[in-house]
Amino acid sequence: MKIVRVQDIIGTEREVSGPGWTSRRMLLKKDGMGFSFHETIIPAGAELNLWYKHHLEAVYCVAGNGSIYDKTTGETHEITDGTLYALDKNDPHTLRGGTEDMRLICAFNPPVTGREVHDEDGAYVPDAGDD
């Protein structure tokens, strides 16, 4: 059994940040669950162009607000507490923070190793086998 508390991750190598986001990686590839599990904070007003070409992601909003723009369909969807979105087709998208910081709970498949940051396309580079 694994017990992970987000307060124990803050300020460690499992907390990774970039422009407009902070990701607290609670479960990683080396934890052997077959997916990784993160808490991600998107500050109010942030705008991120993302395209997880190599990963599927499910995201559940537990606080704050924002929106997601689907670059394939041209649709924009509001995100509030209680909203889940799933990038089941490696969907290119723009994630926008709203008037409050968004707190998102995310699962990635395949799991990330922990230090990934977004490349020029907004993707994570595929795992090179490092744990």
Side-chain angles (χ1 to χ4, degrees):
M1 180 181 297
K2 298 178 186 310
I3 306 296
V4 181
R5 292 182 174 83
V6 73
Q7 64 265 30
D8 296 334
I9 290 173
I10 295 171
T12 73
E13 70 281 349
R14 285 191 179 221
E15 182 178 54
V16 181
S17 295
W21 60 277
T22 299
S23 177
R24 296 164 181 153
R25 285 128 188 228
M26 301 177 80
L27 292 174
L28 298 171
K29 180 182 179 186
K30 67 183 176 183
D31 293 309
M33 297 291 295
F35 60 91
S36 57
F37 195 80
H38 316 197
E39 176 186 77
T40 300
I41 307 300
I42 306 296
E47 183 170 311
L48 301 158
N49 288 297
L50 303 169
W51 182 17
Y52 295 119
K53 297 181 275 187
H54 312 288
H55 296 84
L56 300 177
E57 182 190 26
V59 179
Y60 183 66
C61 179
V62 296
N65 62 63
S67 65
I68 186 168
Y69 171 72
D70 184 329
K71 291 182 178 182
T72 302
T73 67
E75 296 176 300
T76 298
H77 305 276
E78 296 303 312
I79 300 171
T80 58
D81 180 14
T83 303
L84 178 135
Y85 65 88
L87 303 170
D88 60 339
K89 295 178 181 68
N90 305 99
D91 314 87
H93 61 285
T94 301
L95 186 62
R96 293 183 177 100
T99 59
E100 304 171 9
D101 292 356
M102 274 193 296
R103 183 170 164 244
L104 306 172
I105 306 303
C106 314
F108 277 88
N109 182 21
V112 301
T113 60
R115 300 306 301 168
E116 290 87 349
V117 294
H118 302 107
D119 69 10
E120 64 278 355
D121 289 329
Y124 290 148
V125 177
D127 176 25
D130 299 328
D131 290 325

